[in-house]
Amino acid sequence: MKKNKKGLGPKKGSKRFSLSKDPFFAGNDSKRRRKVDDDDEGDVEGSESDEEYLGGSDRDEAEEGDEDRDEDVAAKETADEARKRLAVAHLEKLREIAMREKEEDDGEEEEEEEEEEGARDSLVAQILHKKQLEESGRLRRSIASRIREPEASDQFRVLVKHRQSVTAVALSEDDLKGFSASKDGTIMHWDVDSGKGEKYRWPSGEVLRSHGAKDPQGHATKHSKTVLALAVSSDGRYLASGGSDRHVHLWDTRTREHIQAFPGHRAPVSCLVFRQGSSELFSGSYDRTVKIWNAEDRAYINSLFGHQSEILTIDCLRKERILTVGRDRSMQLFKVPEESRLVFRAPASSLECCCFISNDEFLSGSDDGSVELWSVLRKKPVCMVKNAHALLAANKIFEQGESERIPNGHTENGDHASESFDSSSAYSWVSSVALCRGSDLAASGAGNGSVRLWAVGSETKDIQSLYDLPLVGFANSLAFAKSGEFLVAGVGQEPRLGRWGRIPAAQNGVAVHSLTLC
C-alpha cells in the first residue's frame, strides 16, 4: 500500500473511526461508549455500559448534582414568578384605586377600553411617582392639618418602665417594634401594641474584649453602663447603642445578641443615627468628632471634624448629609461626598437638639426655650418661636394668647411678662425635637410638663403651634410613627445628659400618645 500523505487518510494498521457510528453523531446510541478492535481493521463495536464508562459512584454523584441544580433553578424561577405575581397584583390594586378616584372626580361617560387602560396607567404612574417623592423627602405629606384636637381623656400612657431616666427611644421602620435605653444601662426591645418587652443582655468582659472593646478609662470607669443613644437600621436588622463607655455597640434585633463593639471615640458617645436605606452608621461624641461605620462589614470608615465642643445630637436622611449640633452654639451640615460642611450659628443660645425636615430644611431646639426653623440657604434661622416651653410661675393661671409677630420675623407665644414664665431654667430647655418623616408635623419636648406639636409650613417657611400634650417629666427623646398615628416619648426624672434638674413626680419609662387623623 502506498504511503499516504499527512492528513490525507489513515496509515496502514492505524485505528479508524466511522463518522456515522461516532458517539457524537450517533442518535440513540449516544450514551454508549465505542471502542476499536485492532484485529478487525478498524471495525467498531459497542461493549461497555454507561456505568462502566462513568465509573459507578461518580455517575451517581453527577446525576445527584444535576438534580440539585435543577431544583435550585426551579426554586429560583418560583421566587421570580412570585415576585412578578405580587408586583402585578400591586399594580392592579393601584389601577383600581386610581379608577375609583377618577370616576368620583369626573363622573363622565365611559371611554374606549384602550383609552381607559392608558388613563389607568397614567394615574398609577402618578401614584407611584408621588410615593417615591414622599419616600425620598422631596414631597411633604400634609398631616398637621389633619390632626384632631386631643380631648381631655387623651393622655400619654406609660408603655414600658425603666428604673432610671430614659435617654433614647427608637422605632422600627414598620412601627411595630420599639427600643429604649436608660441611664442604668438597660436596653429594652418592646412591642408597640402590647408593651411587652425584653431586655438586651450585656456580654461578659471577655467577650467584649474579643470584639475589640477596651477597658474604660477616667470618668468612664464609674459610669460605664450609662446608655445615651440608640439607632435602628432601616431594615430593622441592626440596633446601635452608645454611652459613657466610649464604644459603639452593635446588636442583632432578631436574636438580641451583641455583635460587635467599635472602639475609637475618646469620650462618651452621645448620639447615633443610621443613614436611611443603608447600613451606614454615624456616631457623635463628646470628643468633638463624628465617626462613620459600616454595620454590614463591621468596619470603621472615616472621621469628620469641625465642632469645637461636645456634639449632642445627630440626624441623617437618605443623602450622605449629616446634621449635628454641639455645645459650641453651632449646627453643622456635613456633606460627606463633597468633603465640605456648612456652619449655622444660633443668635444667642446653645443648641440642644436638631432634626431634618427635608434635605434643605432643619428644625432645632435650644437651651433658652426656643424652637428654630433653618434653611440651607441662610446662616440664621428662617423662623424662631421663643418661649416654646416656658415654665409657668407657681399658682398663676396661664392663658395662651394670639401669636404675635415681631419685626425680626421671630414668633413668640403667650404672655411674655417676666413674672409669668422662666425660660432660663433647665426645665424649659428644649431637649428633643422630632419630625414625622416626610410630613409637616413636628414635636418638641422639655421638662415644663408638656410636649408641643407643630405645623411646619413648606411655603410660608414658618412653624405654628398646634396642641400641647400633657406629660410630667423630662421628654428626653421623641419618635413619631411613620404614619403619624402615635408619638413615643422617652421620659425621665432627670435630663438626658446631666442632672441639672429633677422632677420626682415623673415616672421613668416610655410613654405613647395616640393621634387622631381626620
Side-chain angles (χ1 to χ4, degrees), residues 427-493:
Y427 299 93
S428 64
W429 293 359
V430 181
S431 55
S432 58
V433 291
L435 186 90
C436 183
R437 187 187 305 172
S439 73
D440 59 350
L441 178 63
S444 62
N448 70 323
S450 66
V451 173
R452 177 164 288 186
L453 299 180
W454 306 91
V456 182
S458 58
E459 297 180 357
T460 57
K461 302 298 181 184
D462 63 353
I463 43 180
Q464 298 293 331
S465 176
L466 291 177
Y467 310 111
D468 285 343
L469 309 178
L471 179 64
V472 178
F474 289 93
N476 293 324
S477 182
L478 297 172
F480 270 106
K482 189 177 179 181
S483 60
E485 295 180 352
F486 61 89
L487 173 66
V488 177
V491 190
Q493 295 180 350

Side-chain angles (χ1 to χ4, degrees), residues 133-154:
L133 291 177
E134 290 177 352
E135 290 290 336
S136 62
R138 288 179 287 176
L139 183 63
R140 196 175 301 173
R141 294 178 294 162
S142 179
I143 293 182
S145 59
R146 298 168 52 198
I147 297 291
R148 290 183 181 178
E149 182 177 0
E151 300 179 357
S153 59
D154 295 336

Side-chain angles (χ1 to χ4, degrees), residues 25-85:
F25 296 96
N28 298 329
D29 297 334
S30 60
K31 293 184 180 179
R32 300 182 61 84
R33 193 171 74 89
R34 306 293 185 180
K35 73 174 184 176
V36 180
D37 188 357
D38 294 334
D39 298 333
D40 240 347
E41 289 198 7
D43 291 340
V44 180
E45 60 183 24
S47 62
E48 296 183 358
S49 64
D50 292 341
E51 293 182 357
E52 294 173 344
Y53 176 71
L54 290 174
S57 61
D58 293 339
R59 174 182 176 275
D60 296 337
E61 292 178 359
E63 290 182 352
E64 291 178 358
D66 293 339
E67 293 177 358
D68 293 340
R69 284 193 295 271
D70 293 340
E71 292 178 359
D72 293 340
V73 172
K76 184 177 179 182
E77 292 176 353
T78 303
D80 292 340
E81 292 174 356
R83 283 193 291 270
K84 180 180 179 181
R85 186 184 73 257

Side-chain angles (χ1 to χ4, degrees), residues 62 98 103 109-110 142 174 186-187 192 255 324 367 370 390 392 454 505 508:
E103 291 175 358
E109 296 182 358
E110 295 184 357
S142 179
D174 55 7
T186 304
I187 300 176
V192 173
T255 60
T324 60
D367 63 0
S370 301
L392 305 184
W454 306 91
N508 298 321

Side-chain angles (χ1 to χ4, degrees), residues 251-495:
W251 307 80
D252 190 333
T253 59
R254 297 169 295 181
T255 60
R256 293 178 294 282
E257 293 182 355
H258 188 274
I259 300 176
Q260 185 70 42
F262 295 124
H265 283 293
R266 295 178 297 172
V269 177
S270 56
C271 47
L272 292 165
V273 67
F274 276 97
R275 185 163 70 92
Q276 293 179 10
S278 74
S279 60
E280 202 169 11
L281 174 66
F282 303 96
S283 61
S285 169
Y286 280 9
D287 63 5
R288 302 175 294 177
T289 66
V290 174
K291 294 190 181 297
I292 308 175
W293 317 86
N294 191 299
E296 191 70 32
D297 298 335
R298 321 279 199 271
Y300 161 79
I301 299 178
N302 197 8
S303 293
L304 306 176
F305 302 88
H307 279 283
Q308 303 302 314
S309 187
E310 297 95 336
I311 297 175
L312 304 180
T313 312
I314 191 170
D315 196 19
C316 182
L317 296 178
R318 287 188 176 271
K319 281 189 175 182
E320 285 189 280
R321 291 186 175 186
I322 311 167
L323 187 68
T324 60
V325 297
R327 287 212 172 106
D328 54 0
R329 296 189 175 185
S330 72
M331 177 170 60
Q332 302 193 16
L333 178 66
F334 292 88
K335 299 180 179 180
V336 179
E338 295 87 347
E339 297 183 353
S340 64
R341 61 189 175 94
L342 298 176
V343 180
F344 306 87
R345 299 200 178 274
S349 61
S350 177
L351 298 176
E352 292 287 324
C353 51
C354 67
C355 70
F356 271 105
I357 298 174
S358 64
N359 291 320
D360 300 324
E361 291 183 335
F362 335 114
L363 193 67
S364 68
S366 59
D367 63 0
D368 66 350
S370 301
V371 176
E372 300 89 9
L373 175 65
W374 304 77
S375 172
V376 72
L377 302 177
R378 292 184 59 180
K379 292 300 182 70
K380 293 183 178 180
V382 176
C383 180
M384 178 189 296
V385 177
K386 295 183 178 180
N387 311 321
H389 289 271
L391 182 65
L392 305 184
N395 300 324
K396 183 174 180 67
I397 301 176
F398 178 77
E399 295 180 358
Q400 173 88 21
E402 295 183 359
S403 297
E404 178 185 358
R405 184 168 295 279
I406 53 182
N408 62 0
H410 297 171
T411 302
E412 297 186 358
N413 291 333
D415 183 8
H416 310 302
S418 59
E419 66 273 8
S420 65
F421 68 89
D422 180 12
S423 61
S424 63
S425 170
Y427 299 93
S428 64
W429 293 359
V430 181
S431 55
S432 58
V433 291
L435 186 90
C436 183
R437 187 187 305 172
S439 73
D440 59 350
L441 178 63
S444 62
N448 70 323
S450 66
V451 173
R452 177 164 288 186
L453 299 180
W454 306 91
V456 182
S458 58
E459 297 180 357
T460 57
K461 302 298 181 184
D462 63 353
I463 43 180
Q464 298 293 331
S465 176
L466 291 177
Y467 310 111
D468 285 343
L469 309 178
L471 179 64
V472 178
F474 289 93
N476 293 324
S477 182
L478 297 172
F480 270 106
K482 189 177 179 181
S483 60
E485 295 180 352
F486 61 89
L487 173 66
V488 177
V491 190
Q493 295 180 350
E494 300 173 350

